[in-house]
Amino acid sequence: MKKRISQISFISLNYNMKNLKLLRTTPSHPDFQKLIALLDAELSINNGDEDAFFSSHNTTDTVKHAIVAYYDDIPAGTGAIKPYSENQIEVKRMYVPLEFRGKGIASAVVTELENWARELGFPEAILETGVKQVEAVSLYPKLGYQITAKYPPYENSEMSVCMKKSL
């Protein structure tokens, strides 16, 4: 069920008898910003000495499309997309806090980001994740993503895994 409110959409889904709502929004949304702060803190630990490199590419300055997932009305996940090229959209800033993992939230967010990308006319999605992001590295292939050659600016990063999917 889709309910449009100006530029924002709510999509209601059922997972494990709990209510999951996805909000299409922008990176200025306060819940998106709170979740991104948690993501950045987690990535800082995982990325170690490479954190400055990755942080410089994880800004949301050019991102206009973000999703916040609410699980029982609590912000429980997020993700965003931004154009990478004329034919590719890049999935960015995917995060689900530890206490909400394993409930299908990340899959729902990625699926909705892909739907949004299709609506915007993009035939392919790309993404970069870190080799230490074990859950992400295993999730994306289950959603149809295939490992591909590393794209700029990650082409020389030993910590990066790049993937793509036809939409």
Side-chain angles (χ1 to χ4, degrees):
M1 177 181 148
K2 235 181 209 184
K3 183 178 177 185
R4 294 254 181 220
I5 305 171
S6 67
Q7 292 291 329
I8 299 172
S9 298
F10 283 96
I11 297 91
S12 295
L13 305 168
N14 246 343
Y15 285 94
N16 300 327
M17 306 298 288
K18 304 286 184 180
N19 194 26
L20 177 65
K21 294 179 185 174
L22 303 177
L23 171 66
R24 285 185 178 189
T25 187
T26 67
S28 63
H29 192 282
D31 289 334
F32 178 83
Q33 292 178 0
K34 288 176 191 172
L35 289 164
I36 293 306
L38 294 171
L39 168 63
D40 288 340
E42 190 173 307
L43 288 176
S44 178
I45 294 166
N46 285 352
N47 292 336
D49 293 340
E50 299 290 321
D51 191 54
F53 168 76
F54 288 106
S55 294
S56 68
H57 301 295
N58 283 332
T59 65
T60 56
D61 299 346
T62 59
V63 174
K64 295 180 181 160
H65 305 90
I67 289 180
V68 177
Y70 293 90
Y71 194 81
D72 285 344
D73 297 321
I74 300 168
T78 195
I81 50 174
K82 74 173 194 172
Y84 181 80
S85 69
E86 186 177 307
N87 294 315
Q88 294 175 317
I89 197 114
E90 186 176 20
V91 176
K92 304 286 290 177
R93 313 291 20 225
M94 283 294 305
Y95 182 67
V96 174
L98 185 59
E99 64 269 25
F100 292 103
R101 293 179 188 167
K103 300 181 184 313
I105 295 169
S107 296
V109 170
V110 171
T111 299
E112 186 57 22
L113 288 170
E114 292 170 353
N115 291 339
W116 207 352
R118 281 186 207 93
E119 290 170 21
L120 294 169
F122 289 92
E124 187 173 70
I126 60 171
L127 60 85
E128 179 276 339
T129 191
V131 294
K132 292 183 179 180
Q133 310 308 110
V134 179
E135 292 155 324
V137 171
S138 67
L139 170 69
Y140 293 121
K142 292 175 188 172
L143 299 175
Y145 284 81
Q146 298 178 332
I147 293 177
T148 187
K150 295 176 189 172
Y151 57 87
Y154 308 107
E155 68 268 25
N156 296 317
S157 171
E158 292 180 17
M159 291 184 63
S160 291
V161 176
C162 292
M163 299 185 193
K164 69 179 180 177
K165 177 180 178 179
S166 293
L167 301 176

